Amino acid sequence: MSGVGIGQRPENRRQRAVKVMWTAVWLAYLGAPVNDLLHGGHAVGVQVLGWTGLGCFVVWYMLLLFRTGRGERTGLVLGSLAVLAAESTLLALTLGRAWLVLFVYVSIASGAALPPRLARWTIPGASALLTALALVVPGGSSFIAGLLVPALLGGFAMTGVRELIRTTIALREARATVARLAANEERLRLARDLHDLLGHSLSLITLKSELAGRMLPARPDEAARQVADIEKVSRQALVDVREAVTGYRRPRLAEEIAGARAALTAAGVRAELPAEPGPPGVPEDSEAALAWALREAVTNVVRHSGARRCVVGLLHRRTLEGPVLELSVEDDGSGDPTAGHTPGNGLDGLTERLEKAGGALEAGRVRGGFRLVARVPAGPVADIGSGA
């Protein structure tokens, strides 16, 4: 990278050289003072003082521009501008009208180095001092029109450039923050997906493995069927994980109802589930959120509740906020379905999924068991009854 982007500081020698060159181009307007020193008929001593003063002015001006935006105190910048203004006044009074052009640089430095709330006073102030000296210095009045407009326009243009630089830096920082937040959100999404996918599949594999082990001595044919189911579940879990990593998997209620029936039956839990997956026209985000809710609820029933019966209901309700699809999962177990879950996973992750879809989650113990209710917006569909 050879150039320096707006709002960026030079990072190497090449970039510093480029910035010096672009800044030095505008020093061409100092041709009038240089010509005055070369051909103005001044004494040698005056010429030496003039060259010294001009050199000090240019160095001070360049340093002020290069240090802009590095956190200097406003008082230090104002002091530097005062030095430039005093030197310009001294040179103009002693060497003549050709040196009035220095006030244009004072005005530009004000716009570049000061906040707009101060620059709006210092730029007119430098211009006013230029006008006053032009009226005092012999022949200076003829320079007022040619220098006053560049001083005002240049100064206020630099305030705009300074604000543009600040905005660019703020946008760059905001972009970096958004990228970090997006990465964190993606990691959290992946953690939730893997927890939900693997928790359900591994629980089913464990149950079927135990069941196959008990059947193996006396009923090898049935044990072989359980092993075949284990292979099928394992392959599907692998596919699900791959799809979850790529971010394309959207679970469906019909699939999760079938999976819930298989998991509950394998665990020896009497299952009562809806015959239909739900009404048509439900938004994809809502259906996916309910599917995740069903998977998480059934996984917790199988792993932690010790239940003998599980009832899954699916209702469509009309509320003041609009139609809502409600999924309920209730068991008669005495265990804690939330045992062992960590923040960001389990019911916490499920709550986040539902909230993103515009829904809500309720979970807690009821008489004789545990009940989980998930609600999501359903869209304008017709009423249906419970399939429980």
Side-chain angles (χ1 to χ4, degrees), residues 189-257:
R189 181 197 68 81
L190 184 58
R192 287 196 304 262
D193 287 357
L194 291 179
H195 171 271
D196 295 342
L197 289 168
L198 295 181
H200 174 82
S201 300
L202 293 177
S203 296
L204 185 56
I205 290 172
T206 301
L207 288 170
K208 285 187 172 292
S209 298
E210 293 175 352
L211 185 59
R214 291 195 298 268
M215 292 178 174
L216 190 56
R219 293 177 288 173
D221 293 340
E222 294 183 13
R225 284 196 296 270
Q226 295 296 330
V227 171
D229 288 344
I230 292 172
E231 180 183 1
K232 181 180 178 181
V233 172
S234 300
R235 292 183 182 276
Q236 184 60 45
L238 180 60
V239 172
D240 290 346
V241 169
R242 286 172 177 170
E243 291 179 346
V245 170
T246 57
Y248 292 120
R249 185 177 190 276
R250 279 185 179 272
R252 299 294 182 182
L253 268 175
E255 299 172 359
E256 294 304 324
I257 289 174

Side-chain angles (χ1 to χ4, degrees), residues 48 56 110 280 324:
V48 171
C56 292
S110 298
V324 172

Side-chain angles (χ1 to χ4, degrees), residues 96-151:
R97 62 183 185 176
W99 295 80
L100 292 172
V101 71
L102 297 182
F103 285 98
V104 176
Y105 292 91
V106 175
S107 178
I108 291 174
S110 298
L114 287 175
R117 59 184 177 84
L118 293 177
R120 66 182 180 181
W121 298 106
T122 57
I123 293 172
S127 301
L129 184 56
L130 164 64
T131 303
L133 288 174
L135 295 175
V136 173
V137 174
S141 58
S142 61
F143 280 32
I144 293 178
L147 295 178
L148 188 58
V149 173

Side-chain angles (χ1 to χ4, degrees), residues 317-324:
R317 302 182 183 278
R318 293 193 178 277
T319 66
L320 294 177
E321 291 77 18
V324 172

Side-chain angles (χ1 to χ4, degrees), residues 83-96 99 102-103 133:
V83 171
L84 288 178
E87 185 178 0
S88 301
T89 301
L90 180 61
L91 291 172
L93 289 175
T94 56
L95 296 177
W99 295 80
L102 297 182
F103 285 98
L133 288 174

